[in-house]
Amino acid sequence: MKKGSFIFILCLLCVALCSARDLKRGYRGFVEWETSYGKTDYWNDALLAYDNDNLLFLGITTSHGYQFNPHFYLGAGCMFSCASPTGDMTIPIFADIRYDAKFGKFTPFVDFRGGFYFDGGSECDLYMVPTIGYSFQKSKKLNFNVGAGLTIRGNKIIENKVENGQLIALPVISHRINTLFTIRFGIDFK
């Protein structure tokens, strides 16, 4: 509890003492750490079937694109993430749309990432992450960003009907949507 209070106070101080730079037209890049947690479908090797349980996804994400004016950014990016405790790797590839607002020293942003993720095998499905957050200045060419949102992941579930080691019916394919709580923090640069 003390550690959480310390982090909260540190974040408040950073917000109070820092403001984001005025963004100009041109290249802009992001490198961020993303953590997502929630119930999701995954292949369980021990059960030889799909399972639904809480997973923690940890990953590094990067996005690069063009800042059109002080508010609108459009780019593309990718992420490398690993799920705990399963160890499953996923690679989302996405388009990134961002709106930066500025109200005096208060500099919130809204970010939407949408695309597909790959699991390193044949699995490919929907990936969307709407995020809101706050940006504060470190130098003229560097900002720190902190945000929270939801990761929306589609999952294609293939269920086989097996009896005595023999396939007794055609596989049943269903699609499910999983929503995970997401926290992202990192830097952006010009």
Side-chain angles (χ1 to χ4, degrees):
M1 186 66 179
K2 289 180 184 181
K3 185 178 178 182
S5 299
F6 173 74
I7 292 172
F8 178 73
I9 291 170
L10 184 63
C11 288
L12 283 177
L13 285 173
C14 289
V15 167
L17 298 175
C18 301
S19 65
R21 71 184 186 280
D22 289 328
L23 297 169
K24 306 231 183 321
R25 294 173 61 115
Y27 167 80
R28 188 176 182 193
F30 295 85
V31 176
E32 298 169 312
W33 176 263
E34 186 172 299
T35 302
S36 300
Y37 181 77
K39 272 201 177 294
T40 189
D41 298 302
Y42 66 96
W43 179 258
N44 187 327
D45 287 329
L47 299 175
L48 294 176
Y50 283 92
D51 201 356
N52 184 288
D53 202 359
N54 287 322
L55 293 181
L56 177 68
F57 288 88
L58 305 171
I60 299 287
T61 180
T62 185
S63 175
H64 302 272
Y66 192 78
Q67 185 74 37
F68 289 94
N69 59 38
H71 301 290
F72 290 103
Y73 163 83
L74 179 63
C78 66
M79 176 178 167
F80 297 98
S81 72
C82 182
S84 177
T86 65
D88 293 343
M89 298 288 293
T90 59
I91 303 170
I93 297 174
F94 54 84
D96 190 1
I97 301 169
R98 180 175 165 129
Y99 178 81
D100 291 283
K102 184 161 175 121
F103 305 106
K105 287 190 173 193
F106 184 61
T107 53
F109 68 85
V110 176
D111 181 78
F112 179 81
R113 295 176 176 187
F116 295 91
Y117 75 90
F118 304 92
D119 70 353
S122 61
E123 190 73 28
C124 169
D125 220 318
L126 173 72
Y127 174 81
M128 295 188 306
V129 186
T131 306
I132 59 171
Y134 185 79
S135 182
F136 54 95
Q137 184 177 7
K138 176 64 179 161
S139 70
K140 289 188 178 194
K141 295 194 178 249
L142 182 71
N143 274 357
F144 285 114
N145 298 288
V146 177
L150 297 174
T151 297
I152 301 162
R153 297 169 49 108
N155 280 347
K156 179 171 49 175
I157 307 297
I158 303 170
E159 298 180 63
N160 295 314
K161 302 286 184 188
V162 178
E163 191 174 288
N164 297 327
Q166 297 289 329
L167 186 65
I168 60 171
L170 292 175
V172 176
I173 299 174
S174 61
H175 288 273
R176 297 182 187 153
I177 300 293
N178 299 297
T179 304
L180 300 94
F181 176 72
T182 300
I183 296 173
R184 186 185 314 147
F185 60 93
I187 60 170
D188 74 84
F189 49 88
K190 287 191 81 83

